């Protein structure tokens, strides 16, 4: 049997066990519900068009053109009463004067006023709120996925050590097949979960029409996000496996995984805390540990020359290969030390 | 004898502590080789080196004359001293999985697992999670995991610890079948009575060095003292005054004695018959425990 076949068997077992794990399935379900809710709830809560009471029937057609529901009433007193009762959101009295309860009815005012023509020098079809939210969603997605799935890699490695089955495994197949199988399986699962979320998000957006124009703006950024995501995840995956092997019991995982947790946390907060268009962000989008977070954000904002993501991705791939070597070394050096917790550096020094 | 596995001059240290010193012995097909020694004598380390889980500092392990590699080790079955299987997989699933890691196809692995669990009287627990099994049954599942791919060499570290006497008999008969089918079996145990009953060959290790190795009967002859037991009709106290006899134990009509080199056992027997009936007379064969104690001193 080749290492490849052995790795395939290991990966298949990991997948089978995870897909039957109730905690994992429920977690994924909850994640999906949250995504779907955050897309669909705003438009559901809006509850249809605003209602307006009108005394002068001359303005009816203008208001209707702006998508408002119009009710014609005989006099100003009736109109005011309807506003007070909450029957309508606003009333247009002769004058014209707009009456509302406690909230300035912007859409009614806009419908009645003549806006000067606006010419934008840099056009963007995307809502400014979404311009902030979408990159944040990218960063969160990478952060949560690499964190939760990375932790699961570490746990699965420690489980094999703790239950001692690792000795049978090591005597049956090469250590690199065990490591490769785990990394591949969890990368596939992470990728499948992200893809599932993406499909749900896209379907949700198109069903509710919550953000017109968003899809076409997001798609190119997603196109770059995927390779960054996969390479970035694999880069960390073998490190997670390595620090998982340092622990001899699940209880020790919290401390042995700390260095890798930092490698995920620090870039995440760094990317969130610097302005999108500054030099710091540009630097972060090249640094391998933060580029999977920062580069998609810059790409979504636009105006990034094509060589930049290419170079950043190349740097990421090179670093990932290096980290795979480090992770594999730590993993194989500490895999059979079932009695004691091993330190990262000690494992690295040992050949 | 058909020697297949040769351990030759293996040394291994952990830090400053040398745990194996020039360890050499052989294992043959069709035979059960017992590997005995006190705790910490180096049994587990030796087995781990055979399986490639640990590396030797120097010395070689060969299989039919060839140095061991992953491919050859694929035909080995191993039951480590520290037991363990996946707690959240069923017995059937993990034995099948380990069979497949040794190169069996899915259907073949399943068929063999079921047959093996049947043989080990574990078939009705096949779909239970390992963590729900009793320790004895976990042990049988572990043995199944070591046997599923029909290995040519079985290396079992303390395969009988934790088994009740009936389960020991069951496992012993399974191992005998495997040996009869041409497998070589190396097993360690501290239960010397089981080893005595089971093994064809014996390897005794103490403080990391092999003290004795070879065919069990030959070893026994080698360590048999010129010692005799006798049971007579009346008190056996007269033996005290016989030339060349050193009385070891006297209990009324029973006695155990050593003969000086060159002394004639038949002369002692005649002397006994002159004094009355003799119900039993014969050489005392040392038990494995006695040989063991003798050898490791």
């Amino acid at each position: 049997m080749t290492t490849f076949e052995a790795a395939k068997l290991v990966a298949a077992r990991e997948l089978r066990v995870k897909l039957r794990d109730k905690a994992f399935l429920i977690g994924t379900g909850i994640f999906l519900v949250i995504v779907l809710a955050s897309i669909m709830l705003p438009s559901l809560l809006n509850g249809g068009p605003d209602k307006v009471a009108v005394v002068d029937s001359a303005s009816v057609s203008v208001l209707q053109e702006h998508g408002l529901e119009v009710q014609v009433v005989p006099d100003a007193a009736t109109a005011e009463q309807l506003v007070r009762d909450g029957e309508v959101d606003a009333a247009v009295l002769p004058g014209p004067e707009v009456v509302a309860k406690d909230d300035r009815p912007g859409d009614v005012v806009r419908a009645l006023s003549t806006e000067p023509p606006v010419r934008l020098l840099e056009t963007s079809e995307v809502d400014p709120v979404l311009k902030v939210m979408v990159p944040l969603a990218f960063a969160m997605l990478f952060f949560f996925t690499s964190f939760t799935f990375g932790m699961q890699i570490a746990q699965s490695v420690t489980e094999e050590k703790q239950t001692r089955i690792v000795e049978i495994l090591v005597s049956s197949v090469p250590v690199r097949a065990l490591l490769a199988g785990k990394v591949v399986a969890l990368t596939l699962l992470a990728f499948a979960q992200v893809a599932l979320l993406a499909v749900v998000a896209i379907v949700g957006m198109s069903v509710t029409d919550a953000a017109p124009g968003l899809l076409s703006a997001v798609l190119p950024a997603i196109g770059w996000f995927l390779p960054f995501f996969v390479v970035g995840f694999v880069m960390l995956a073998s490190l997670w496996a390595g620090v998982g092997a340092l622990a001899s019991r699940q209880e020790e995982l919290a401390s042995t995984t700390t260095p890798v947790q930092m490698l995920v946390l620090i870039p995440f907060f760094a990317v969130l805390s610097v302005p999108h268009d500054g030099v710091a962000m540009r630097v972060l989008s090249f640094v391998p540990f933060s580029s999977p977070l920062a580069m998609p954000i810059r790409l979504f904002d636009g105006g990034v020359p094509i060589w930049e993501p290419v170079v950043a991705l190349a740097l990421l791939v090179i670093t990932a290969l290096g980290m795979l070597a480090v992770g594999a070394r730590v993993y194989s050096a500490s895999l059979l030390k079932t009695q004691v917790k091993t330190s990262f550096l000690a494992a690295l020094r040992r050949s | 004898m058909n020697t297949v596995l040769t351990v030759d001059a293996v040394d291994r240290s952990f830090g400053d502590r040398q745990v194996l010193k020039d360890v050499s012995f052989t294992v043959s097909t069709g035979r059960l080789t017992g590997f005995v020694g006190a705790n910490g004598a180096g049994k587990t380390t030796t087995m781990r080196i055979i399986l490639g889980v640990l590396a030797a500092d120097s010395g070689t392990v060969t299989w039919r004359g060839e140095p061991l590699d992953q491919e050859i080790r694929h035909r080995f079955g191993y039951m480590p001293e520290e037991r363990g299987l996946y707690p959240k997989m069923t017995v059937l699933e993990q034995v099948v999985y380990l069979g497949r890691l040794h190169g069996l196809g899915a259907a073949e692995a399943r068929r063999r697992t079921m047959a093996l669990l049947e043989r080990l009287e574990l078939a009705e627990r096949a779909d239970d999670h390992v963590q729900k099994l009793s320790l004895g049954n976990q042990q049988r599942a572990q043995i199944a995991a070591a046997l599923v791919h029909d290995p040519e060499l079985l290396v079992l570290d303390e395969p009988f610890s934790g088994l009740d006497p009936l389960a020991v008999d069951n496992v012993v008969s399974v191992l005998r079948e495997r040996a009869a089918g041409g497998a070589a079996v190396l097993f360690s145990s501290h239960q010397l009575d089981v080893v005595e009953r089971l093994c064809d060959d014996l390897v005794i290790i103490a403080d990391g060095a092999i003290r004795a190795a070879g065919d069990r009967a030959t070893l026994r002859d080698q360590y048999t003292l010129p010692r005799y037991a006798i049971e007579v009709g009346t008190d056996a106290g007269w033996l005290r005054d016989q030339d060349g006899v050193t009385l070891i134990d006297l209990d009324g009509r029973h006695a155990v004695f050593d003969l000086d080199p060159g002394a004639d056992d038949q002369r002692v027997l005649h002397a006994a018959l002159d004094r009355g009936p003799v119900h039993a007379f014969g050489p005392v064969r040392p038990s494995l425990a006695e040989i063991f104690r003798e050898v490791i001193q």
Side-chain angles (χ1 to χ4, degrees), chain A residues 317-341:
Chain A
V317 169
I318 293 166
T319 315
L321 290 176
M323 290 300 116
L324 275 173
V326 170
R329 189 170 168 146
V330 172
Y331 178 75
S332 41
S334 37
L335 200 55
L336 289 168
K337 305 239 167 287
T338 49
Q339 307 296 344
V340 286
K341 199 172 96 178

Side-chain angles (χ1 to χ4, degrees), chain B residues 13-230:
Chain B
S13 300
F14 292 117
D16 298 335
R17 202 164 52 89
Q18 189 170 4
V19 291
L20 294 182
K21 299 162 199 155
D22 196 26
V23 166
S24 303
F25 62 91
T26 61
V27 179
S28 304
T29 53
R31 296 173 76 86
L32 301 173
T33 302
F35 192 22
V36 295
N39 288 333
K43 301 188 296 284
T44 297
T45 305
T46 306
M47 288 181 155
R48 286 179 163 182
I49 287 172
I50 294 172
L51 266 299
V53 173
L54 274 180
D57 293 339
S58 64
T60 56
V61 184
T62 52
W63 175 255
R64 297 185 194 274
E66 310 224 354
L68 295 185
D69 58 21
Q70 192 82 34
E71 190 153 329
I72 293 173
R73 287 197 175 102
H74 236 102
R75 307 199 296 265
F76 293 179
Y78 180 38
M79 175 170 171
E81 181 193 27
E82 297 190 68
R83 316 279 190 246
L85 292 168
Y86 291 106
K88 284 178 191 159
M89 279 173 96
T90 67
V91 174
L92 178 67
E93 277 176 332
Q94 34 203 332
V95 177
V96 167
Y97 174 60
L98 291 169
R100 297 208 62 196
L101 284 186
H102 281 97
L104 297 181
E108 177 69 3
R110 204 183 158 81
R111 192 187 61 73
R112 289 202 199 181
T113 301
M114 281 317 293
L116 195 52
L117 293 181
E118 200 75 54
R119 185 68 187 81
L120 288 163
E121 295 162 17
L122 199 59
E124 57 194 42
R125 313 304 301 271
D127 293 323
D128 285 354
H129 282 185
V130 172
Q131 58 190 3
K132 286 191 196 147
L133 299 185
S134 68
L135 282 179
N137 280 338
Q138 289 187 12
Q139 183 95 328
R140 294 180 205 224
Q142 197 93 41
I143 290 169
L147 292 175
V148 63
H149 54 291
D150 227 343
E152 292 176 32
L153 172 71
L154 263 169
V155 178
L156 310 168
D157 205 347
E158 296 282 350
F160 306 108
S161 70
L163 291 180
D164 62 53
L166 286 178
V168 169
D169 288 346
N170 177 242
V171 172
V172 163
S173 69
V174 171
L175 294 185
R176 281 220 174 280
E177 281 169 20
R178 294 298 168 127
V185 181
L186 176 70
F187 70 98
S188 73
S189 182
H190 61 270
Q191 288 158 280
L192 295 176
D193 57 323
V194 177
V195 179
E196 181 149 43
R197 189 150 55 90
L198 181 58
C199 72
D200 305 306
D201 294 324
L202 199 60
V203 177
I204 299 176
I205 187 170
D207 291 328
I210 301 297
R211 296 299 176 86
D215 179 69
R216 182 182 54 159
T218 312
L219 274 183
R220 169 169 289 182
D221 288 344
Q222 202 175 321
Y223 287 93
T224 298
L225 298 165
R227 177 169 292 180
Y228 296 82
I230 190 166

